[in-house]
Each structure stands twice: as structure tokens, then as C-alpha cells.
Amino acid sequence: MPRISVSLVAGLASLLLGELLDSQDTDRTAQIRHALDGGTAQNILLFFGDGMGDSEITAARNYQVGAGGRLAMDTLPFSGTYTTYAIQEQTPTLPEYVTDSAASATAWATGAKTSNGRISTTALTDRDLKTILELAQEREYRTGNVTTAELTDATPAVLGAHVASRSCQGPDDMAMCPQDRREAGGRGSIAEQLVAHRIDVLLGGGANRFAQPMANGSSVRDLARTAGYRIAISANELALVQSMPVLGLFAPGNMNVEWAGDEALPYPSNVKSPQVCREGVRPAKEPSLEAMTIKALALLDRGTEGEAGFFLQVEGASIDKQSHAANPCSQIGELIAFDRAIRVGIDFAVRHPRTLLIVTGDHGQTGQIVPMPTDTDHPIGLISALQTKEGATMVLSYATNVYHRPQDHTGTQVRIGAMGPQAANVVGVIDQTDVFRILSRALEGRSSKSTSAGAR
Ligand SMILES: [Zn+2]
């Protein structure tokens, strides 16, 4: 068999396994040339790891598959890095070097920078910014929004809501957004807006926000039911869902984490006895992110070529929340669970080549992999030693805030990887706002229901 055919067959076989690129000992030029596709996408699949910077990925890889191993997200044919800064509310011409998830998500979802805390609205002037999900709906794509956080949390919120503050999650939470109240002529809380957008698949936590009463006395859940939503509150109920729209509310607040362990402490912490993480602690009632992704894909996939397909966002939210808590095991467990969901997405994209799949994080987080500390030389923050599965000790340091206060984000650039149509545009150094433009180009130029809805 000529060499080219062998490599093509091997390439296809490895594609089916989700191993998109061979290791460095082969010349990848032909594979990358084969992966180049400047066209439009029938399906768009976005995976956002909240707080998933390079050191979070590296720590999870070291722990789970070893320093020389590869996660599913590591196998994408194209990767680059993007800048994540926000802008200042009072002086929008100046950067805010460390972004939060709201400004970060607004950037990729709308193509415009905003200030920390804002949900698809402009800094200072408070104008609505049109989102990529709204654009996808106009082009008749089905839409889905999946998260392990509350559905009203920043990342899922930016796609289908416009409010001045990320805190305005339910009708009772509107103190920071008086102008957005429905009684004041606004669009209402994030929960109300997500339902009003008629996003086909909404899966995550945050049941308490949707239970809050609106001005007319009925709850956001009631609003969803009236709008035709089927509501699922457990993994079993989700498994039975066969139709859209569906609203899955699997926890009162954020969904539970997958792994547990001890939080990091000041030196000497546990350096003499590294911990092994306890896995499988998520309650069975709550579906995994992987299960939610499988269900969302099954519902959203039209299965027909030549039609606008779907736009789906999947967020692994608690990588960030557990980094804030300086809990290395839960942080790593959430990243591994997120990677399992990505594996499902990659397998889908391999079977449906007109799928643009993007994997990235929204900002850096506090954790650093540091050398073994000693009495004379050790980080001044919190540390934790972990026994990795390959049998070595890895020490993580958390030092972006004082002990007993939440650790904080960092302003570093973040990795972005992709496959499918337009994926080559993530190569090199780009900015978060470029993701909106990449996605816009990927959306097929289908009949637009409306060309003027919303602000830019
Ligand atoms: Zn955070």
C-alpha cells in the first residue's frame, strides 16, 4: 500500500477515536492541510471551561493521564491563544487587565469588549449588544445552552440576556438592574430573558432562580411551561425527554462537583502526605456534563445535510468555582468531566464534518504547578500536594488572595483550539472578540428572519 493511503487510513481511524493528530514523531503537514476548511458550518459546538487556563489544563493532565499523556481537548488540529482583557466601566478606552466571566463571555458572544459584571451590554452607555445566539436563531439554527453552573450564571447568560449586572439572575435579584425590570419597560431578569429567547435546549442548575415569582405572581418556571417548555429536574427525567424546547433544572444552585478532596492550606499543608482525590461524588440524580451534552446533541441534530443545524454552548463552570475555593481535587475533577463532554463533541464533529467545534477557557485562574516546597523555600499562599495517577507528586499553589478569601482570576492569555469550518482562524494570537467574528463567518448565509433586530 502506498504510504499516503496508509497515513490516510490511519488518519481516519485515529479521527474516529477522537485522536485528531498523531504525536510529534510524524510530519503533520498533510493532516493539517487536510483539516483546513474555510467554509460555513451546519453546526457550531462551543466548549467553554470557566477559569480553564494553561495551568489548570496541565494540572488535570498531569493528575489524570500523566505529564506525557493527552486529554481529548489536546488533540484538536488547530490551536492558538487569545487575549482576555475587559475594559473599564467609567473609562471604556482603558483596559481592565483581569476579566470576569461576564465581560469575557460578552466579548466572544458579541464581538465587543465590556466592563466586568456586564451581560451583553456596553460599558458606561448600557446599550444591548447583539449575540451570536441571536444571530444563529435569525439564520434558523436550533440553539442550546448547557452548563454545570446556574443557567443564569454569566457564561450561559450572555447568549440570551442583556442586563447591566450579572447579579440580576431572577425576578427577585434585580437590585443592580432597576432599568432592566419588566415593570420599568426592560427585558426582565436573566432567567426570564433566557425563556423569552426560546432557546431550544437549556440544561444546568439554578432551579431557585426559575422558582422566583415575577410581578404577576407566577414563577419563571410557569412562564417556561406556558411557552411550551418541558421541564426536567433529574437525570432520569432528562433521559426520557424526546422533544424541544426543554428546560433542565438539576440543582437549586450550581450543580454538584464530580470529585472531592482537601482544600489547599498555608505551608506545610499536606506536603508530607500528598492527597489522592475522591472521585464519583456527584449525586446520581444530577446528570453529568457528558450526559447533558449527549442529550443536547441528540435533540438538536437535524440529521439532514444542507439545512441549518444547531448552535450549542457547553460550559464546564466549576473549574473556576473550585479554583476560587482553592480545592485542587474538585478543580481537576471538573476539568476531567469537561474533557469527557468535549470527547463527545469531537466524536460528533468527526461524524458530522460540517461542524465547527471550539474549545477554550474564558480567563486564567490562580492555580500554579510549583516545585516541592521546603521550610526555607515555599509559596506564601495556599498549597496542596497531590499523588498523581502516574505515581509522582504534584504541588499546586493558590496565591492570588489572602487565606480565607476567595482566590481570584488572572489576566493571562488563554488557549483556544478548534476543528471544522473556520477552525484555522484560531491559530496564532487572537482576541476573544475574534471568536464572535469566526462564528459569524461560520454561520451559513440562510434566509434571515430579521436583519435589524437588536443593537449591533
Ligand atoms: Zn470566577
Side-chain angles (χ1 to χ4, degrees):
M1 213 174 199
R3 188 179 164 76
I4 182 73
S5 307
V6 172
S7 80
L8 270 178
V9 170
L12 268 177
S14 68
L15 277 174
L16 293 171
L17 292 168
E19 302 295 339
L20 298 186
L21 285 183
D22 292 338
S23 63
Q24 296 284 2
D25 56 11
T26 56
D27 180 358
R28 303 184 187 195
T29 310
Q31 273 182 300
I32 287 173
R33 192 176 290 126
H34 181 71
L36 283 169
D37 178 355
T40 55
Q42 185 182 23
N43 307 305
I44 293 179
L45 198 35
L46 292 181
F47 286 92
F48 275 88
D50 199 328
M52 192 177 78
D54 283 346
S55 65
E56 286 72 30
I57 296 171
T58 311
R61 183 196 301 122
N62 287 350
Y63 186 89
Q64 183 75 356
V65 296
R70 290 293 177 264
L71 300 169
M73 68 178 79
D74 295 329
T75 65
L76 295 170
F78 298 104
S79 66
T81 189
Y82 70 11
T83 47
T84 63
Y85 65 95
I87 56 175
Q88 297 183 15
E89 171 71 13
Q90 294 304 322
T91 316
T93 51
L94 285 178
E96 190 79 73
Y97 292 117
V98 181
T99 190
D100 80 333
S101 295
S104 163
T106 297
W108 61 256
T110 72
K113 297 273 185 191
T114 194
S115 60
N116 283 344
R118 284 192 168 276
I119 300 292
S120 295
T121 52
T122 56
L124 195 59
T125 50
D126 195 30
R127 282 183 299 109
D128 290 356
L129 291 157
K130 187 165 190 163
T131 78
I132 192 69
L133 181 137
E134 290 166 344
L135 212 54
Q137 284 185 323
E138 284 175 11
R139 307 264 172 98
E140 297 180 356
Y141 282 64
R142 294 173 172 180
T143 55
N145 207 359
V146 175
T147 182
T148 51
E150 298 183 80
L151 271 166
T152 50
D153 200 17
T155 300
V158 295
L159 288 168
H162 307 266
V163 288
S165 167
R166 62 184 291 173
S167 65
C168 302
Q169 298 187 45
D172 284 348
D173 308 321
M174 297 300 286
M176 300 286 286
C177 315
Q179 71 277 29
D180 294 314
R181 287 175 189 273
R182 287 170 112 189
E183 306 89 275
R187 296 175 184 242
S189 67
I190 293 167
E192 292 162 86
Q193 292 193 44
L194 290 176
V195 169
H197 259 84
R198 208 184 158 83
I199 298 169
D200 299 297
V201 175
L202 286 169
L203 305 177
N208 286 352
R209 310 284 185 182
F210 288 80
Q212 292 179 13
M214 301 179 294
N216 67 5
S218 63
S219 70
V220 187
R221 267 178 81 124
D222 296 334
L223 179 73
R225 249 191 228 101
T226 307
Y229 275 90
R230 168 135 185 217
I231 296 175
I233 61 162
S234 68
N236 287 341
E237 285 188 16
L238 178 65
L240 295 174
V241 170
Q242 300 291 344
S243 63
M244 300 183 294
V246 57
L247 171 61
L249 295 169
F250 305 112
N254 296 317
M255 293 177 70
N256 280 288
V257 296
E258 297 276 345
W259 294 9
D262 297 329
E263 290 177 9
L265 294 168
Y267 182 82
S269 187
N270 67 336
V271 295
K272 291 273 186 319
S273 52
Q275 62 172 324
V276 172
C277 300
R278 279 185 290 123
E279 302 182 21
V281 300
R282 169 177 47 81
K285 179 183 167 290
E286 295 184 21
S288 66
L289 189 57
E290 180 184 25
M292 291 195 287
T293 303
I294 290 169
K295 191 67 186 190
L297 289 172
L299 290 169
L300 290 166
D301 179 24
R302 288 186 202 263
T304 328
E305 285 292 319
E307 261 192 296
F310 62 82
F311 171 95
L312 172 62
Q313 189 279 135
V314 176
E315 184 197 21
S318 289
I319 303 162
D320 180 68
K321 296 178 195 309
Q322 295 305 317
S323 297
H324 283 295
N327 188 327
C329 281
S330 298
Q331 169 198 319
I332 290 170
E334 290 305 289
L335 197 145
I336 296 303
F338 180 56
D339 196 59
R340 289 202 184 103
I342 292 168
R343 168 79 65 188
V344 169
I346 290 174
D347 288 348
F348 180 91
V350 166
R351 282 182 281 114
H352 302 81
R354 289 181 61 224
T355 300
L356 167 60
L357 180 148
I358 293 180
V359 177
T360 187
D362 62 348
H363 53 73
Q365 252 288 3
T366 175
Q368 292 292 322
I369 303 159
V370 297
M372 181 57 80
T374 64
D375 286 349
T376 52
D377 298 274
H378 53 259
I380 54 168
L382 312 178
I383 55 174
S384 184
L386 293 99
Q387 169 98 43
T388 67
K389 292 186 179 176
E390 61 183 341
T393 299
M394 171 171 68
V395 180
L396 295 183
S397 154
Y398 297 82
T400 48
N401 204 349
V402 295
Y403 188 24
H404 292 314
R405 294 288 300 160
Q407 296 296 314
D408 221 330
H409 304 170
T410 66
T412 183
Q413 60 190 26
V414 170
R415 184 218 285 194
I416 178 167
M419 63 183 287
Q422 297 296 327
N425 291 294
V426 307
V427 169
V429 180
I430 63 172
D431 182 74
Q432 278 190 307
T433 52
D434 294 325
V435 173
F436 173 80
R437 289 177 273 279
I438 293 166
L439 297 175
S440 301
R441 276 197 301 275
L443 287 175
E444 294 189 274
R446 309 231 155 238
S447 61
S448 182
K449 281 182 201 158
S450 154
T451 50
S452 59
R456 77 162 280 281

